[in-house]
Amino acid sequence: METTTTTGSGRYVHGYSGREARRLGDQADALAALLHDGTAYPAGSRVLEAGCGVGAQTVHLVSRSPGVRLTAVDLSGASLDQARARVAASCPEAAVEWRRADLRDLPFPDAAFDHVFVCFVLEHLPDPRAALAGLRRVLRPGGTLTAIEGDHGSAFFHPDSAHARAAIAHQVVLQAAAGGDALLGRRLGPLLAEAGYARVGVVPRTVYADGARPDLARAFTRDTFTAMVESVRDEAVAAGLATPADFDRGVADLHRAAGPGGTFHYTFFKATAVNPQ
Ligand SMILES: C[S@@+](CC[C@H](N)C(=O)[O-])C[C@H]1O[C@@H](n2cnc3c(N)ncnc32)[C@H](O)[C@@H]1O
């Protein structure tokens, strides 16, 4: 089982455990409409998914764009194996080429794709602007890029909790130490413009879960966001950022926000942009 891989100057903070694969699947399924509405590519178009992971977004991509010729790449061979199995199980008719590759040095000729889709990957890269410029190289002039990223600064909840806010802040610090940026969503638009894209448009897509939507509170607040924070517990303690008791209290308080009477807010940023002619 792969547990870590390097991403240039850093380490992929979430790792590759079975638990993380389940979390990515929960996240993609709970947010499918929120993230994928408005994204559909014509049959026959050549689409690249950069950093497909275990295929959690891939199944939604191909089900909304039947007939596309999708190429999905990731650094992790084990994740690609899981992605292949996931897509075969839920969309057996989909034509997907799976490639192990670093999206910062893609083994494709210039202008090889009509569209690029990248979700929750730029936040793990030490130089997301260079990565976006590299993705532009393989996009044909006039082709589109869609990028989706979160921003942990958009997380607020009720009942409020200093311990929960601190636990989230520790995750942000650890991701930065691994070369990433858990606050990337707010600068996604400027990054695309700096990387040479035109017609950059960014739409905030907000998740708000409360007692009226207990399924969303479970799937997003508890099984996606809180699980992600909880996964860095040992690292945060080892780094001296928190005591075990304080971290556990923060996680327990996030669980309260997912429970009866609790509320949770988070904003994703979905950007589309065009490679200039
Ligand atoms: C948080 S996961 C997101 C996976 C998927 N896009 C999703 O939304 O479920 C980030 C993925 O990016 C991959 N990744 C990180 N750096 C990469 C790089 N330089 N090239 C290709 N993949 C990379 C990791 O291996 C991991 O599978």
Side-chain angles (χ1 to χ4, degrees), residues 5-8 12 14-16 20 23-25 27-28 35 49-58 73-76 79 101-104 117-121 123-125:
T5 193
T6 55
T7 55
Y12 173 48
H14 298 320
Y16 293 98
E20 172 61 6
R23 192 190 70 80
L24 288 170
Q27 169 171 257
L35 301 184
E49 184 186 4
C52 65
V54 294
Q57 309 297 342
T58 319
V73 305
D74 202 278
L75 270 183
S76 162
S79 294
D102 188 327
L103 66 83
R104 298 165 300 179
F117 180 89
V118 56
C119 182
F120 307 147
V121 178
E123 61 172 292
H124 297 294
L125 302 178

Side-chain angles (χ1 to χ4, degrees), residues 101-192:
D102 188 327
L103 66 83
R104 298 165 300 179
D105 185 22
L106 287 168
F108 306 115
D110 294 359
F113 297 98
D114 302 304
H115 305 284
V116 172
F117 180 89
V118 56
C119 182
F120 307 147
V121 178
L122 299 170
E123 61 172 292
H124 297 294
L125 302 178
D127 190 347
R129 184 176 46 191
L132 285 167
L135 291 173
R136 195 162 71 77
R137 179 189 68 76
V138 299
L139 190 56
R140 70 161 165 79
T144 72
L145 176 133
T146 298
I148 304 172
E149 292 292 340
D151 187 320
H152 293 358
S154 71
F156 52 85
F157 40 85
H158 172 80
D160 193 16
S161 154
H163 285 90
R165 280 187 267 116
I168 296 167
H170 300 329
Q171 203 282 332
V172 173
V173 166
L174 290 169
Q175 190 158 332
D181 178 6
L183 309 177
L184 187 136
R186 67 189 70 182
R187 62 188 180 103
L188 184 55
L191 280 171
L192 282 159

Side-chain angles (χ1 to χ4, degrees), residues 189-264:
L191 280 171
L192 282 159
E194 289 161 16
Y197 290 84
R199 290 164 52 195
V200 176
V202 181
V203 184
R205 298 221 163 162
T206 294
V207 188
Y208 172 72
D210 63 11
R213 301 194 62 189
D215 291 350
L216 186 62
R218 268 193 298 278
F220 183 70
T221 312
R222 188 189 71 183
D223 295 343
T224 297
F225 189 83
T226 304
M228 182 263 307
V229 172
E230 202 171 359
S231 71
V232 301
R233 175 191 187 271
D234 294 349
E235 220 178 323
V237 170
L241 295 172
T243 65
D246 282 348
F247 198 93
D248 292 345
R249 166 106 185 259
V251 169
D253 287 352
L254 285 173
H255 278 279
R256 274 205 303 160
T263 75
F264 189 85

Side-chain angles (χ1 to χ4, degrees), residues 2 53-54 76-87 98:
E2 288 176 77
V54 294
S76 162
S79 294
L80 284 168
D81 289 344
Q82 292 182 59
R84 191 184 288 109
R86 186 186 290 261
V87 171
W98 305 98

